[in-house]
Amino acid sequence: MHLIWLEDFIELARTRSFSRAAENRFVTHPAFGRRIKALEQWVGAELVVRSHPVSLTPAGQLFLDAASHSVDVLHAARAQLQDNAGPREQVLRVATGRTLARTFLPDWYESINRRFGPFPVSVSTGGAQDVIMRLAAGEADLLLIYSSPTTRLLIDPLRYESLTLAREVLLPVSAADKKGRPKFKLSTLAGAAAATPWLGFSQSLTLRGVLAKHLAGLSRKPALHMVYEADSYEAILEMARRGTGVAWLPQRLLQEDIAARRLLVIGDAGMRVNFDISLYRMRGNGNPLVTAIWDGVVSDAVD
């Protein structure tokens, strides 16, 4: 059983709405529903009546008191233990995606270390909704994320401020054939026979919406046939290397493969997708280390 399930249930009991509770918990409606279901399975009883508005079953009413008390006690104990721990070195807590943790964060960390002196960093990775939730729950000081329609929808600008740290590009790539030429091309011809095998992003990936919006706006859309889908850019990269299909992937992730000509950039310039790498923090964050770093990197922000 996860503490986050108890907090979800308490929020659902407060709002009496799955959609509103999911929004307040920074998670999709289906994912929120699955977490409530998982909690009911752990308890061994139905806790909510899925009506409009949502109501609690007798078991739910009883469990709400226990859940609220447990969450209060755990948070209070945590606060007390942190207060009693005495002075300790400040740790910068950064939540980010797995790909950014590999391709962007190391260089950025080294640059701010040179400017502000050495300090420890705790990095947690996950899907977009997971890392946004960590920032919202106070479990992260900074959120480093690909900017997309999804993130802009989930992150309230009244509660959080943001900086654009860098530009990035989604490049369409294909494995090379034995002659060193692209195994696949991006055809804009209609018809299933001309469709190009495509390695796509699962819904949990931030860049799915970025790519979909770009492709929808093209006057000549490529004919694509989905053959593989994953919730990891690295997993898609590996399948692209194996020649399974074409893929759009971040340029920083592709650098070594393009230099070694394991993967070749295909399509014209219009097939490339520009997007941002953004940094977020909660407004009013009083952590001196966070404030110093934030104020320092404001001058580096990309307009």
Side-chain angles (χ1 to χ4, degrees):
M1 197 278 295
H2 301 282
L3 176 61
I4 196 172
W5 294 353
L6 298 181
E7 295 170 332
D8 287 343
F9 176 63
I10 293 168
E11 184 63 19
L12 179 60
R14 187 186 72 82
T15 61
R16 304 287 173 162
S17 166
F18 271 89
S19 58
R20 193 176 312 138
E23 181 180 352
N24 292 345
R25 296 288 290 162
F26 296 94
V27 67
T28 63
H29 190 164
F32 184 84
R34 288 194 294 270
R35 294 197 324 211
I36 294 297
K37 191 65 178 177
L39 178 63
E40 290 179 318
Q41 291 174 346
W42 181 85
V43 172
E46 290 189 0
L47 301 176
V48 300
V49 178
R50 288 159 174 78
S51 55
H52 300 283
V54 170
S55 61
L56 300 183
T57 65
Q61 292 283 3
L62 180 64
F63 189 73
L64 177 61
D65 291 337
S68 300
H69 178 71
S70 298
V71 169
D72 289 343
V73 168
L74 288 170
H75 283 306
R78 180 189 180 197
Q80 183 177 1
L81 290 171
Q82 290 176 340
D83 289 342
N84 293 338
R88 62 177 182 174
E89 191 173 12
Q90 286 186 312
V91 177
L92 183 69
R93 301 171 300 167
V94 180
T96 188
R98 297 177 185 90
T99 300
L100 278 171
R102 171 188 167 190
T103 62
F104 183 82
L105 184 58
D107 288 340
W108 185 71
Y109 170 70
E110 287 183 356
S111 72
I112 59 176
N113 245 266
R114 287 193 296 269
R115 293 171 61 180
F116 303 104
F119 56 86
V121 171
S122 174
V123 178
S124 58
T125 64
Q129 293 177 352
D130 291 332
V131 293
I132 291 171
M133 188 67 187
R134 286 171 200 162
L135 180 67
E139 297 171 359
D141 302 306
L142 297 175
L143 170 66
L144 181 67
I145 197 168
Y146 292 134
S147 184
S148 73
T150 301
T151 58
R152 289 190 289 272
L153 179 65
L154 290 175
I155 302 177
D156 184 356
L158 296 178
R159 296 183 62 194
Y160 307 95
E161 53 187 328
S162 66
L163 298 170
T164 298
L165 294 183
R167 306 292 190 203
E168 180 61 291
V169 185
L170 274 177
L171 296 177
V173 292
S174 166
D177 63 18
K178 293 181 179 180
K179 296 182 179 180
R181 297 176 299 194
K183 181 176 179 179
F184 302 105
K185 296 181 180 180
L186 289 174
S187 172
T188 56
L189 300 175
T196 303
W198 175 35
L199 313 174
F201 302 146
S202 297
Q203 284 189 340
S204 61
L205 290 182
T206 306
L207 296 178
R208 177 185 174 111
V210 173
L211 178 59
K213 181 179 179 180
H214 182 81
L215 293 179
L218 294 176
S219 57
R220 299 183 64 197
K221 298 176 178 58
L224 301 170
H225 170 59
M226 176 80 73
V227 296
Y228 182 85
E229 183 179 89
D231 63 356
S232 160
Y233 300 115
E234 283 77 6
I236 294 170
L237 172 61
E238 180 59 32
M239 297 304 285
R241 289 170 178 159
R242 293 169 180 254
T244 308
V246 303
W248 273 262
L249 289 166
Q251 185 174 23
R252 285 177 172 82
L253 183 62
L254 293 168
Q255 286 176 344
E256 293 181 5
D257 287 279
I258 291 176
R261 294 191 63 79
R262 288 188 293 267
L263 292 173
L264 306 175
V265 180
I266 58 175
D268 57 29
M271 294 293 178
R272 302 177 186 184
V273 189
N274 298 309
F275 61 99
D276 299 331
I277 297 174
S278 296
L279 188 69
Y280 286 85
R281 74 166 179 176
M282 185 173 290
R283 295 186 184 276
N285 186 312
N287 185 321
L289 177 61
V290 176
T291 300
I293 291 173
W294 188 271
D295 292 345
V297 300
V298 164
S299 59
D300 302 333
V302 179
D303 295 330

